[in-house]
Amino acid sequence: MKPLPHHDAVMPRPPLRQVQVLLDEKNWPSAAALLEVHREESLREGSSPDYGVWCLLRARLAAETGEYRDGVDWGRRGLIAFQASAADDFLGDAHSVLGLAYLGLGDTKNARIHARDALAIYRRLDDESGMMRAYNELARIHFVRGEYEAADDFLSDAIQIARRRQDAEKEAMLLGNAGRVCLLQGRWSEAQEALSAAHQCAVSAGNRVSIGRNLLSMAYLAILRHDFRAASSQLDAALTVIEDAGLVRERAVYFEYSGWWQYEQKHWIAAKEAFRRALEIGRRLSDENDMVSQSLRGLAECEAALQDWPEAKRLAEQGLAVAIAIGDRAEVGCLYRVLARAQARLGDHTDSRATLAKATECLTFVGDVYERARLAIARSEVLALVSPADHIAPTAALDEAVQLYSRLGATDNITDVQWLAVDSYRRAGQITEAVALARRLIAAMPTNGAAPDRMRELVAGLDGDCVGHATSPRNEFRLVGMPWTAESLAAAAHAESAGDDLQQTIAFCRTRLNASRVLLLEVTADGRRSGRVVAQSGGSEGFAQRVAAFAASAYQRELPTDQPRYHWSLLGSPQLTAHLVDETGRSPVSVISVPVELGPASSGILYLDRIAEEPANSESGFSPRDLDFAVAYAEIVAWRSMKLRSEGLLRDVQRLRDQLGRECEFPSIITQNAAFREILARARLIVDADVSILLQGETGTGKDLLARAIHYSGNRRDQRFVQVNCAALPETLLESELFGARRGAYTGADRDKIGLFEEADGGTFFLDEIGEMPLSIQAKLLRLLETKEVLRLGDTKPRPVNVRVISATNRNLTQEMERGTFRRDLFYRLTPLVFVLPPLRERREDVPLLIDHFLDGIAAETGRTVRLSSEVVRVLCAYHWPGNVRELENEIRKLVLLAEPGAVIGPDRLSRKFAEESPAGSVPAAQPMPERFSLYDHIARIERQFIVRALGECGGVKKHAAQRLDIPESTLRLKMKIYDIDTD
């Protein structure tokens, strides 16, 4: 990002004087044409001085029009010709032109060699004009290399010669170059004066090259000062001059400065486009020159601003390779700076530190104040990333940047850095300093100025930090701030136990009392001694375990659980001291022990001590005021412990309830049988209906599963689901269990008993095997259904209940009514809705699905994974299953448990009943199976049959077929594509 210094053209001597005049006037087309006229004549001369002059003029034309490689080639030819003809008068000019061409290629090493040779020749010839040009050329080379002190020295020598010769035009041009050096040395005022004077002189002389370059340099200075309006005007004027004069290198510089103009205004995308155009022109000049490295750095800086750190790193590495090759130390330092930032952001902390050190070495040597300030900002960013615990170094780096910008008078940059310092104070936890600095910066803002987004974010962040500080233990005016911070409450809500939250509570107590160790110990749990460490701050785990075991000992009296104990000195308690020695042999000088109630039937103690070897203020032991705080704080710890335990129980209950609900919803019922799916579809419609439901079906068909699905899919899901098997309880107990009993209602009724119907108030009551209920209980159940009231045994006052009754039976209740074993009026109360579940033999297509489900479930329970052979699946599909799904599950469980893990189960492992029913163990001919058979093949075959059937019955209309299959139309289309089903 350096301004381009001016160079003075070589003044060749006759012959070809007219070409020389045209080159001085920058009339390069005419000069080129005239050179072509003399080409053949000069080339015939071979190694004569005229040939050398022609080559010299051709090299100068190439160098001034940006054809630097041609300039080097013709310059070498001219040099050889002069050396062969011993024309010493022209050797200095040849070396000067070669230095100019090499510098254009970025080869500063060869450029300096030829410039020094030219200076030596001019000195020997006492040619002051040539010496002045050589001094200027050497200054330009050292300028490009970032050696500003050397450049300044050479320019001073050249200016002295110009003043001695009273050459005002040359003096102005040299002053312009000196102004560019002053700019990078941080002497901005001097630079502005020198550049303005040089520009006025160039305008008077009509020197378009000098005009363009001076305008570019002044524009760059305006960019650094954030005077963007002046910079824009000067860039536009420079572009006009550059295009009229056909300057190639200066055009690249224009796009580079335009990129920085956009960059400093945070227009990252526009800046990238300008840097890309500068890079294209620079690469056309040569693969390695300062324009290439500077443009690559500009692109890297833009990618860093856009947070694309991998791309920023790649571009910085490319630019660094070019800058190192051409020896541009200033640019090397700048690129190291960008690379260090990218490495730190990408987590390469070790490399980032080393790269930052290299950047510091280079830029310190160069002395560019502006770039050193930017380096200090980068150092703050890198140190904050690689050493997050070190909050001093990043802030110190920002202070250095402020000092450097103050030297330059860059007030806008100082403000930006100070906002970065606000953020640094925030990260360091120095909220007071951050707020004070932010307040000063806001007060200094213009009243009509809009606050940048970054500033608003910082102010909002400071608000949150202040609130966080006020609710943290760092707030000296809070007694017990830690347990109620938002962070600890959130952590406790997601923790498996209360340990993490109590750990923070104990740590706060330790800090507040300056204790060496603080332990929260559980002495008894559920009436038994436990000796468990609940939370610990300070000391080793082994020490905490020993103290917990000692506190839970039935024989110790030093740490009681019924009253606090204060040992302001342990000199009189050698037994306690012996139990409190840690692994390093240190023992406390003072101990406080306070009883704590940790929860129901759980007691403990809060133990605190101080060790003599700790800080000096620990040697005096705990004071009575410390004891007062510990006793008060123990109450807080007890309350917090019980609250966390109750929250944990509530979370466990809610988690189990959610798990149960997921397992009992309709999707958990496995079937693809059309009749059963129709039943489930009807059941979904009445999940919220407050009516009694009767489920009929053989044993094992899933009546209880359907009852649970109805409950957990409806609006009663958050209330209880109570299930009672009427056949499992004798008549004498069934009445009291269902309806409850009053104290003294029967022998042994020593207290009131709440019945299960009351327990299910608001929920669902499932009466399984309702056909087994005695007639005497049926009458009371009828009353409950009619009045929605329950009358406890021995009571006279009914109690209202709101329950939905779902009953189930495998009997024919109509036949039971005819026999007189089931009340007719109760039957009609129980049967507003009746669902008859089909047996498994009527839905054989579900057998493979159920087999797969049971295999997965049993594998999850037992860790055993087995496979069933195709022959076994055929037999299971063909069996009539009198015990239905329950019988199938039992058979699968037996096969898994009696097989080796990973085995393939054959028909020989099946129960005898399958061989008796189907000796061949085969499935009916209507369901032929391939030799290699899997459950998924079977499911796919059946699924395809149903889709084809539905499409046929619906005339190929997919929408109607999807409705008939009770699946989305998109799913139907997908499966048609999978199974290659054509509606035609």
Side-chain angles (χ1 to χ4, degrees), residues 440-451:
R440 291 198 303 270
L441 293 174
I442 292 173
M445 287 177 56
T447 55
N448 58 349

Side-chain angles (χ1 to χ4, degrees), residues 222-489:
I223 292 170
L224 297 185
R225 286 177 162 174
H226 284 198
D227 187 355
F228 299 118
R229 181 175 298 179
S232 177
S233 175
Q234 289 159 349
L235 284 173
D236 290 342
L239 181 61
T240 301
V241 174
I242 290 168
E243 290 182 342
D244 289 345
L247 304 176
V248 178
R249 180 183 175 84
E250 286 73 11
R251 184 176 177 83
V253 175
Y254 163 79
F255 283 118
E256 183 198 349
Y257 289 177
S258 297
W260 291 119
W261 183 78
Q262 299 283 3
Y263 177 89
E264 292 294 339
Q265 298 178 84
K266 298 179 174 55
H267 303 156
W268 320 121
I269 304 302
K272 285 173 59 177
E273 181 59 29
F275 286 128
R276 285 196 186 97
R277 298 187 68 177
L279 180 62
E280 290 174 1
I281 298 173
R283 281 179 170 162
R284 285 202 297 268
L285 297 177
S286 67
D287 293 333
E288 294 181 349
N289 60 68
D290 56 337
M291 286 308 309
V292 173
S293 61
Q294 292 171 17
S295 301
L296 285 170
R297 176 165 65 90
L299 288 171
E301 295 272 20
C302 291
E303 297 297 349
L306 294 169
Q307 303 296 307
D308 188 350
W309 297 106
E311 182 65 10
K313 179 182 177 184
R314 185 186 69 82
L315 291 167
E317 288 173 341
Q318 286 185 6
L320 185 61
V322 175
I324 291 174
I326 64 176
D328 190 344
R329 184 171 294 185
E331 201 60 34
V332 168
C334 293
L335 284 160
Y336 272 135
R337 181 192 67 218
V338 181
L339 182 58
R341 292 180 61 205
Q343 289 171 335
R345 291 286 184 177
L346 294 173
D348 302 334
H349 292 171
T350 302
D351 291 343
S352 178
R353 281 181 177 276
T355 304
L356 187 65
K358 294 176 182 177
T360 304
E361 179 184 357
C362 291
L363 292 178
T364 302
F365 172 83
V366 169
D368 188 331
V369 179
Y370 185 82
E371 294 300 342
R372 283 171 55 200
R374 297 188 69 194
L375 173 65
I377 298 172
R379 184 185 305 115
S380 174
E381 177 185 358
V382 171
L383 292 178
L385 292 170
V386 303
S387 302
D390 183 2
H391 301 301
I392 298 176
T395 307
L398 292 176
D399 291 340
E400 179 187 348
V402 170
Q403 294 174 4
L404 291 170
Y405 279 135
S406 298
R407 286 174 52 187
L408 298 172
T411 55
D412 289 345
N413 298 84
I414 293 172
T415 302
D416 292 342
V417 175
Q418 287 177 327
W419 278 111
L420 292 176
V422 171
D423 198 22
S424 180
Y425 282 133
R426 282 186 60 200
R427 292 194 301 269
Q430 298 172 279
I431 305 302
T432 303
E433 292 82 352
V435 172
L437 179 55
R439 184 178 285 116
R440 291 198 303 270
L441 293 174
I442 292 173
M445 287 177 56
T447 55
N448 58 349
D453 292 341
R454 177 59 179 161
M455 186 186 304
R456 290 196 295 268
E457 292 174 6
L458 281 174
V459 171
L462 275 176
D463 293 342
D465 291 339
C466 292
V467 173
H469 182 274
T471 56
S472 73
R474 290 174 292 171
N475 180 357
E476 59 180 339
F477 301 104
R478 296 195 67 212
L479 177 65
V480 285
M482 177 60 76
W484 292 278
T485 60
E487 292 81 6
S488 64
L489 290 174

Side-chain angles (χ1 to χ4, degrees), residues 603-666:
S603 64
I605 62 170
L606 180 65
Y607 168 91
L608 307 91
D609 68 16
R610 281 183 179 173
I611 300 175
E613 287 78 4
E614 296 288 348
N617 58 2
S618 299
E619 295 181 0
S620 59
F622 292 115
S623 67
R625 189 170 181 270
D626 294 334
L627 175 63
D628 293 342
F629 178 89
V631 172
Y633 196 79
E635 297 177 358
I636 301 298
V637 173
W639 173 84
R640 191 76 188 126
S641 175
M642 288 187 285
K643 185 174 185 298
L644 289 171
R645 291 196 180 196
S646 64
E647 290 175 353
L649 291 173
L650 288 174
R651 289 195 300 272
D652 291 342
V653 169
Q654 186 61 45
R655 183 170 61 250
L656 293 173
R657 179 177 290 173
D658 294 343
Q659 180 180 351
L660 182 61
R662 288 192 299 270
E663 293 175 352
C664 297
E665 290 177 344
F666 279 101

Side-chain angles (χ1 to χ4, degrees), residues 710-984:
I710 293 172
H711 171 76
Y712 286 104
S713 299
N715 53 15
R716 295 175 181 262
R717 67 175 69 86
D718 293 330
Q719 304 300 324
R720 292 194 61 184
F721 177 86
V722 179
Q723 178 177 354
V724 173
N725 191 324
C726 299
L729 294 174
E731 182 177 355
T732 55
L733 293 179
L734 187 59
E735 182 176 2
S736 63
E737 289 293 327
L738 292 179
F739 302 101
R742 188 177 181 182
R743 178 182 179 183
Y746 54 87
T747 303
D750 56 350
R751 62 179 182 272
D752 291 347
K753 178 180 177 62
I754 299 177
L756 293 176
F757 275 111
E758 290 184 71
E759 291 282 353
D761 188 23
T764 301
F765 201 98
F766 179 48
L767 286 167
D768 199 7
E769 303 297 344
I770 188 69
E772 304 288 344
M773 180 177 285
L775 285 170
S776 59
I777 308 299
Q778 291 180 26
K780 297 198 70 172
L781 176 60
L782 176 63
R783 172 182 171 81
L784 182 145
L785 294 174
E786 290 177 344
T787 63
K788 297 294 183 180
E789 294 178 341
V790 63
L791 185 65
R792 292 180 181 178
L793 187 64
D795 204 352
T796 58
K797 182 181 179 180
R799 303 169 188 271
V801 293
N802 175 24
V803 296
R804 173 175 56 187
V805 176
I806 301 177
S807 53
T809 181
N810 58 1
R811 293 188 177 187
N812 189 328
L813 294 185
T814 304
Q815 295 178 359
E816 297 298 324
M817 287 190 296
E818 293 175 355
R819 297 192 188 100
T821 59
F822 200 85
R823 295 179 62 99
R824 188 176 298 275
D825 48 2
L826 178 60
F827 174 79
Y828 292 116
R829 282 288 181 183
L830 292 173
T831 56
L833 291 171
V834 180
F835 296 103
V836 181
L837 276 64
L840 186 57
R841 60 181 172 273
E842 295 180 6
R843 51 188 187 103
R844 295 182 187 274
E845 63 270 27
D846 290 344
V847 173
L849 298 177
L850 292 169
I851 291 173
D852 200 11
H853 171 70
F854 292 143
L855 286 174
D856 291 341
I858 297 170
E861 293 175 10
T862 64
R864 292 170 173 261
T865 303
V866 301
R867 292 190 300 112
L868 304 184
S869 66
S870 58
E871 192 67 24
V872 170
V873 177
R874 293 192 190 102
V875 173
L876 296 178
C877 290
Y879 187 61
H880 68 288
W881 299 110
N884 294 294
V885 179
R886 187 174 295 119
E887 183 183 5
L888 173 60
E889 181 182 8
N890 292 337
E891 183 65 25
I892 298 298
R893 186 176 295 276
K894 184 205 73 170
L895 292 174
V896 173
L897 295 178
L898 296 179
E900 294 292 333
V904 178
I905 299 175
D908 57 314
R909 296 295 185 90
L910 292 171
S911 301
R912 187 182 299 274
K913 59 188 177 184
F914 295 99
E916 294 174 351
E917 177 172 304
S918 179
S922 62
V923 70
Q927 298 183 2
M929 306 262 182
E931 190 63 32
R932 297 190 65 183
F933 175 81
S934 71
L935 292 178
Y936 297 107
D937 293 336
H938 187 71
I939 293 170
R941 176 182 299 174
I942 295 173
E943 197 170 44
R944 189 181 194 283
Q945 292 174 357
F946 272 84
I947 293 173
V948 171
R949 178 179 173 184
L951 287 169
E953 293 176 355
C954 297
V957 180
K958 300 180 184 65
K959 179 178 180 181
H960 297 165
Q963 293 175 349
R964 189 173 186 83
L965 293 169
D966 193 20
I967 60 175
E969 186 176 349
S970 59
T971 302
L972 176 62
R973 293 180 180 274
L974 176 62
K975 291 185 178 296
M976 289 175 64
K977 184 178 295 185
I978 293 173
Y979 299 137
D980 194 21
I981 300 174
D982 190 347
T983 54
D984 298 332

Side-chain angles (χ1 to χ4, degrees), residues 49-281:
D50 288 340
Y51 168 73
V53 170
W54 187 92
C55 292
L56 183 64
L57 293 172
R58 181 67 181 84
R60 177 183 167 187
L61 174 65
E64 292 186 359
T65 55
E67 299 174 358
Y68 298 113
R69 295 191 184 280
D70 287 346
V72 170
D73 182 43
W74 288 112
R76 285 175 175 170
R77 295 184 187 184
L79 181 62
I80 293 172
F82 294 139
Q83 289 173 340
S85 61
D88 292 344
D89 293 349
F90 300 107
L91 281 176
D93 296 345
H95 282 296
S96 182
V97 169
L98 274 171
L100 176 65
Y102 274 117
L103 184 60
L105 291 174
D107 188 350
T108 57
K109 179 179 179 181
N110 278 316
R112 185 168 58 175
I113 291 172
H114 286 286
R116 286 186 179 278
D117 288 345
L119 178 61
I121 293 172
Y122 290 140
R123 281 175 174 170
R124 188 172 66 248
L125 297 175
D126 196 22
D127 184 350
E128 287 191 337
S129 177
M131 291 166 59
M132 185 169 54
R133 290 196 304 272
Y135 280 133
N136 184 52
E137 196 63 35
L138 283 168
R140 186 167 186 261
I141 293 168
H142 285 285
F143 180 90
V144 171
R145 291 170 59 87
E147 298 164 352
Y148 302 135
E149 294 294 337
D152 195 33
D153 291 341
F154 282 121
L155 283 173
S156 297
D157 293 339
I159 291 172
Q160 289 179 6
I161 295 174
R163 288 173 178 171
R164 188 166 57 248
R165 292 167 58 87
Q166 297 182 351
D167 191 338
E169 182 178 352
K170 290 292 188 298
E171 182 181 356
M173 181 268 293
L174 294 170
L175 285 173
N177 289 346
R180 295 170 181 85
V181 176
C182 291
L183 192 159
L184 297 185
Q185 287 179 320
R187 296 147 55 193
W188 285 1
S189 298
E190 297 177 40
Q192 182 66 47
E193 293 176 5
L195 290 172
S196 298
H199 178 65
Q200 292 299 327
C201 185
V203 171
S204 300
N207 190 331
R208 291 181 297 175
V209 176
S210 294
I211 292 173
R213 288 174 176 171
N214 287 326
L215 284 171
L216 287 173
S217 297
M218 288 189 292
Y220 176 65
L221 178 57
I223 292 170
L224 297 185
R225 286 177 162 174
H226 284 198
D227 187 355
F228 299 118
R229 181 175 298 179
S232 177
S233 175
Q234 289 159 349
L235 284 173
D236 290 342
L239 181 61
T240 301
V241 174
I242 290 168
E243 290 182 342
D244 289 345
L247 304 176
V248 178
R249 180 183 175 84
E250 286 73 11
R251 184 176 177 83
V253 175
Y254 163 79
F255 283 118
E256 183 198 349
Y257 289 177
S258 297
W260 291 119
W261 183 78
Q262 299 283 3
Y263 177 89
E264 292 294 339
Q265 298 178 84
K266 298 179 174 55
H267 303 156
W268 320 121
I269 304 302
K272 285 173 59 177
E273 181 59 29
F275 286 128
R276 285 196 186 97
R277 298 187 68 177
L279 180 62
E280 290 174 1
I281 298 173

